[in-house]
Amino acid sequence: MARPPKTAVPAPAANTELDAMLAQALGKTPAVAVSDDEPASAAPEPVDPAEQHCGFVAIVGKPNVGKSTLLNALVGQKISITSRKAQTTRHRITGYRTEGANQFVFVDTPGFQTRHGNALNRSLNKTVLGAVADVDLILFVVEAGHFNLADAKVLDLLPENVPVILLANKFDLVHRRGDLAPWLRSMQERRNFAEFVPMSAKASKDIQRLFAICAKYLPQQPWMHDPEELTDRSERFMAAVMVREKLFRLTGDELPYTSTVVIDKFEEEGQLKRIAATIVVEREGHKGMVIGEGGEKLKRIGTEARQELEKIWNCKVFLELWVKVRSGWADDDARVRSFGYE
């Protein structure tokens, strides 16, 4: 008995809708030329000030969605620390990138904190609010396909008079893209986003596409910074955050987020930088975690931080680390300010 001919099964409407949205979001946006063969700090061709565009772009989101990784990729050099542990970024870190006639001033912010109300978190949240108060564009970073209460609380903070791009990071990790259609529709109901950008902060082609998208929102005005500059943060500040990155990476979830790093000495002798830093923890037990058996953990933290700094600065670094206990510092407003938090 002959089988009936097969008939084509139409694709679900949700997938058709999603395909259209993705086609638009991943469309042929003219990319800003970014060469992988030259450092980001290479001097660009002179541009007439009358043709220059410059503006502030804030990068916001809950902790651990990839904001610092995104900033480093946009600037072209590591200026913000990254870790699987939340709370690695604690300051407003500004990075610059000048491409063609456009100068982007990117502002990386701490993830907005909702779990603890101590002095440290009040300082971090104040930094987030200050960063979005007067910018030209906001990149609201979420994990593609995910949105929870922490994301919603950050979204509620964003001003209505600033265009916001929904940046769906880690898009390369989404296996069932058909599930994104209802997610994207729900996101559009939450806010009238200026654009939807699915991407991976680790993909150079996505970073180039993002440059072109952000460029449309930069006002026409002279550049604010030397085109060869990458950040407003000092080398002393960079030394502290790099030590803290290695501290969190090598201690994992054992060490509470309230640990911090203070630079005690920063001296330059020709092509050598001498740095002495103190890792501050809240309990004696935490001190043992940082030092490790026979001092091996502390030694490794220092070695990896030193190597990272030597790579960034292209010079020799002598780094000396100490560990001290300061009980309750994260609940003390004065102590929080003394450690360099706003």
Side-chain angles (χ1 to χ4, degrees):
M1 182 174 177
R3 294 181 179 177
K6 292 183 178 180
T7 57
V9 178
N15 287 350
T16 302
E17 180 183 359
L18 176 66
D19 289 342
M21 292 177 177
L22 292 179
Q24 181 179 2
L26 297 169
K28 295 182 179 179
T29 308
V32 176
V34 182
S35 172
D36 293 330
D37 299 327
E38 298 179 10
S41 58
E45 292 294 325
V47 177
D48 187 332
E51 299 178 0
Q52 294 176 356
H53 289 73
C54 181
F56 288 90
V57 181
I59 303 172
V60 302
K62 69 180 181 183
N64 237 18
V65 291
K67 299 184 300 297
S68 296
T69 299
L70 177 63
L71 176 67
N72 292 336
L74 288 166
V75 173
Q77 179 175 300
K78 188 170 186 176
I79 63 171
S80 187
I81 65 176
T82 60
S83 170
R84 290 191 301 272
K85 190 181 184 72
Q87 280 267 10
T88 49
T89 298
R90 291 189 180 164
H91 300 265
R92 169 174 167 159
I93 299 177
T94 304
Y96 317 135
R97 185 69 175 261
T98 304
E99 295 295 332
N102 302 310
Q103 185 171 87
F104 306 86
V105 183
F106 294 106
V107 182
D108 184 24
T109 62
F112 193 80
Q113 305 300 317
T114 59
R115 295 181 58 190
H116 307 283
N118 58 23
L120 175 60
N121 279 347
R122 289 196 297 272
S123 170
L124 301 184
N125 290 346
K126 181 180 177 182
T127 299
V128 178
L129 294 173
V132 301
D134 189 22
V135 296
D136 301 290
L137 177 66
I138 296 173
L139 302 180
F140 176 51
V141 185
V142 298
E143 289 190 33
H146 298 274
F147 191 86
N148 60 20
L149 181 60
D151 295 300
K153 289 185 176 181
V154 177
L155 184 59
D156 287 343
L157 296 173
L158 306 185
E160 293 293 336
N161 62 334
V162 178
V164 178
I165 288 177
L166 174 61
L167 196 155
N169 193 27
K170 305 180 183 179
F171 184 70
D172 54 315
L173 301 181
V174 176
H175 300 297
R176 298 181 57 182
R177 297 194 175 183
D179 294 341
L180 282 180
W183 174 79
L184 185 53
R185 282 196 299 270
S186 70
M187 294 302 298
Q188 291 172 323
E189 291 171 358
R190 293 179 180 277
R191 182 175 179 126
N192 183 23
F193 291 102
E195 301 196 40
F196 164 57
V197 180
M199 64 172 291
S200 167
K202 297 181 179 180
S204 59
K205 61 181 177 59
D206 287 350
I207 293 298
Q208 293 183 30
R209 182 165 52 87
L210 185 58
F211 273 122
I213 293 170
C214 293
K216 297 183 294 183
Y217 298 89
L218 301 184
Q220 184 175 352
Q221 62 179 341
W223 297 339
M224 301 175 187
H225 306 280
D226 186 302
E228 295 188 24
E229 292 182 0
L230 295 180
T231 182
D232 63 340
R233 289 299 187 173
S234 67
E235 291 183 338
R236 187 186 186 100
F237 174 87
M238 295 301 296
V241 295
M242 290 304 166
V243 172
R244 191 155 53 83
E245 178 189 59
K246 305 310 175 187
L247 170 67
F248 285 154
R249 280 182 177 270
L250 293 173
T251 56
D253 294 330
E254 298 177 55
L255 190 67
Y257 76 94
T258 48
S259 306
T260 194
V261 176
V262 178
I263 300 299
D264 303 309
K265 181 178 72 174
F266 191 104
E267 299 175 348
E268 298 186 57
E269 302 174 4
Q271 288 298 305
L272 171 67
K273 298 182 191 296
R274 293 184 180 274
I275 304 169
T278 298
I279 296 173
V280 180
V281 297
E282 287 203 301
R283 298 179 182 176
E284 283 292 338
H286 302 159
K287 183 176 181 180
M289 294 179 193
V290 175
I291 295 175
E293 187 175 352
E296 285 302 311
K297 183 67 66 66
L298 184 62
K299 180 179 179 181
R300 187 177 172 190
I301 291 170
T303 298
E304 294 195 10
R306 174 184 58 77
Q307 291 172 343
E308 187 90 54
L309 292 170
E310 287 180 338
K311 180 180 178 180
I312 293 174
W313 294 333
N314 193 29
C315 71
K316 297 296 293 181
V317 173
F318 177 81
L319 176 61
E320 189 176 21
L321 296 181
W322 304 89
V323 185
K324 294 183 180 179
V325 178
R326 294 290 183 270
S327 299
W329 76 267
D331 289 309
D332 186 333
D333 287 289
R335 184 66 62 84
V336 167
R337 287 192 297 271
S338 74
F339 285 166
Y341 298 97
E342 299 172 0

